[in-house]
Amino acid sequence: MTSENHGTIKADSALVMSPTGSTSQAAPFSPSTSKPIQELPDELIQAGWSKCWSKRENRPYYFNRFTNQSLWEMPVLGQHDVISDPLGLNAAPASGEAISDAGLGNGQRKRHPSEDASQAGPNSFKRPKVEIPVTPTTPTVPISPSTPGVKPWVNATDDKQGQAGVPAPAPYRPSVVYWDLDIQTNAVIRERAPANHLPPHPEIELQRAQLTTKLRQHYHELCSQREGIEPPRESFNRWLLERKVVDKGLDPLLPSECDPVISPSMFREIMNDIPIRLSRIKYKEEARKLLFKYAEAAKKMIDSRNATPDSRKVVKWNVEDTMNWLRRDHSASKEDYMDRLEHLRKQCGPHVASVAKDSVEGICSKIYHISAEYVRRIRQAHLTLLKECNISVDSTESTEVQNRLVYCYPVRLSIQSPPQPRVELHFENDIACLRYKGEMVKVNRGHFNKLELLYRYSCIDDPRFEKFLSRVWCLIKRYQVMFGSGVNEGSGLQGALPVPVFEALNKKFGVTFECFASPLNCYFKQFCSAFPDIDGFFGSRGPFLSFSPASGSFEANPPFCEELMDAMVTRFEDLLERSSEPLSFIIFVPEWRDPPTPALTRMESSRFRRHQMIVPAFEHEYRSGSQHICKREEMYYKAIHGTAVIFLQNNAGFAKWEPTTERIQELLGAYKVSGRSLPSPGPSSTSTADKDSKPVQERSAKSQDNSSPVDKTAPDTTNI
């Protein structure tokens, strides 16, 4: 870690320590297990080479995970022709290592199959046996492929690559990489105790997935039976996000202890689709049909519900007036129909809402109580599983935590992880397929390799990767269930900024941390995410609303849920108020002006706001939330709304990462679409039907007076 990133802490360097208790003056890093000295030179490890063992030949071989090359002798960089000599049979052996490996019978004993079986679990990859004893003084290092002394894991099926006479397959070359895991963090926190989340297990994750899918079905049936509408698009996903803001329950996904019970998000979205869902209109005939359908639906609802006489009178009179207008005026334009629809909504909307209110509240309450019951079942099954493995939850020893500053490190669990069942892995072209009990999850090979790297950096309880596959299965299954099963469903809520924007943020503003990300879509290896129990093994620092940095530069691109964004702003202002160290947040939120969201309004009037710029709709892009499985041509999609970029900084953060004209221009340049043709706009991620489907007024990105009470030298507002 560079001194530039960490030179802002006023205390001596000794006060900013590693949570492992090391007395080294070097920058702190995540706790990790000890690793043996690697037999291969650093250059070969960097190039993707690892030393493996062939059971068939009872001898070692060398495998490159980047190119799928297999060699019997130690590779020599720059001297091996893969085409003419795919197995390296004619390559010159390296001094010492290759000779000693070739002569396996000279004093070396063979590894017996029983030893392999005893050392490896059902999900393990071949790992070198660790002979170095772990002592309290043994130094720890981040588990990283760039760290000397760490041998990359190899898939157990890769032994086939080393069989004599079998040519190497077509080399796999990674395509575009959408992350940079070499960037070290400048985020400083107070050392914290391990979390008491129950450790993940595929059996429990499968049960959670089944019950969550069942809960979605209940929601669909209630909306259809009680209100005669389809559930608003992505409203269930936003309900999960909004509930976790206030939930005090113990399940990582489903809510169980919320106050209030009625979700404002779910209630608002269902009400906005009553009596019918209003969609964007392009043509005059569509506008005419929509007006007719709304008038009929409003009259039908007011007749079938327990409405007051005044409400019936107002609705019926306005509906009849609209029908008469439709019959006599056939020359109206699209704008005329839309104006008439807006007038009808204003007149009838309050009366329709009053008769539907109790029913919609009943839907919200029913879904919440079913969720709470499912949480009880899941936790009981989880505790039973741990008890069968002789793992006690209540008697977990508390870890003593010192009150000191450390560089942020991944979430650690205080409860021991149970043995993991077998998860099968195979590759279909460029897709890694992981199967457990017939349930398959998929991830492209590039992101599978990324998960491996994150696991090396972050996981400290599985040095032999025996639990890696089961944890990857749980991770992908969790996000798959949260996304939903619809086409492109959930991907908008997990969208990420383009790579050039991240590069500019890191280069110009020292950003090294994402406040809202996941192991699948993160750019940096340090980030906050929704599920600390499983994401922590892959680098997550936990949910941002419970994360307390004292210093650092952060990027925040939250899911577009109004309640979550509002809680985010509260958290930002609290952190900026408390810290005197350099602290900076660069926030990317949708520019919703009709009506404006509370989060956007609060940030624009915040005393910590230093700069704001607007990127217009359709002139910038996001990376798909399904980037780990989607096609390459579907990786980016146009933003259908403007994006507001707001800089919130305390005085020290403003002095260090000031949004000057030069830096802002660099960021704007990175945001411009670089001449590639983008697919049609991605799925809307707006939090209410009012915002993603309101037919009357299309939002446009506008500049406004963004005066801030804080004195600043940087330009105040920028428009592209």
Side-chain angles (χ1 to χ4, degrees), residues 98 234 260 685:
E234 307 237 21
S685 310

Side-chain angles (χ1 to χ4, degrees), residues 569-570 572-574 576-577 585 587 598-612 646-650 706-712 716:
V569 176
T570 301
F572 285 155
E573 295 190 329
D574 180 55
L576 291 167
E577 187 74 41
F585 297 100
I587 304 103
L600 182 58
T601 303
R602 290 177 59 194
M603 285 191 289
E604 289 179 338
S605 60
S606 172
R607 71 185 189 90
F608 297 106
R609 185 182 66 83
R610 308 292 178 162
H611 183 78
Q612 178 176 350
I646 301 175
F647 292 72
L648 299 182
Q649 300 169 327
N650 61 9
N706 294 302
S707 58
S708 170
V710 179
D711 293 334
K712 51 189 176 291
D716 188 49

Side-chain angles (χ1 to χ4, degrees), residues 30-173:
S30 304
S32 169
T33 57
S34 300
K35 305 300 294 182
I37 301 302
Q38 177 58 265
E39 297 175 345
L40 294 180
D42 294 346
E43 314 83 68
L44 295 180
I45 297 175
Q46 294 284 350
W49 289 99
S50 59
K51 187 177 178 182
C52 311
W53 185 265
S54 172
K55 288 185 179 179
R56 173 174 173 173
E57 300 296 330
N58 277 334
R59 59 183 293 194
Y61 70 99
Y62 300 88
F63 178 73
N64 191 305
R65 64 187 178 88
F66 293 146
T67 63
N68 282 352
Q69 298 177 36
S70 299
L71 303 176
W72 289 119
E73 310 297 342
M74 176 181 284
V76 180
L77 293 178
Q79 299 185 18
H80 175 229
D81 187 354
V82 180
I83 298 178
S84 62
D85 187 16
L87 291 180
L89 301 179
N90 299 323
S95 59
E97 176 69 19
I99 297 175
S100 64
D101 287 342
L104 193 61
N106 297 336
Q108 294 187 9
R109 69 179 182 88
K110 296 181 180 180
R111 287 170 56 98
H112 298 291
S114 60
E115 294 178 341
D116 290 329
S118 64
Q119 293 178 5
N123 300 309
S124 67
F125 293 90
K126 284 185 170 56
R127 306 281 295 171
K129 186 174 182 180
V130 179
E131 300 291 351
I132 299 178
V134 179
T135 66
T137 58
T138 302
T140 58
V141 296
I143 306 178
S144 164
S146 62
T147 304
V150 178
K151 178 171 286 190
W153 57 264
V154 180
N155 190 337
T157 60
D158 287 340
D159 266 350
K160 300 177 182 179
Q161 305 288 344
Q163 297 176 6
V166 180
Y172 169 74
R173 304 187 186 281

Side-chain angles (χ1 to χ4, degrees), residues 637-652:
Y637 62 86
K638 294 178 184 177
I640 62 175
H641 50 71
T643 295
V645 185
I646 301 175
F647 292 72
L648 299 182
Q649 300 169 327
N650 61 9
N651 291 332

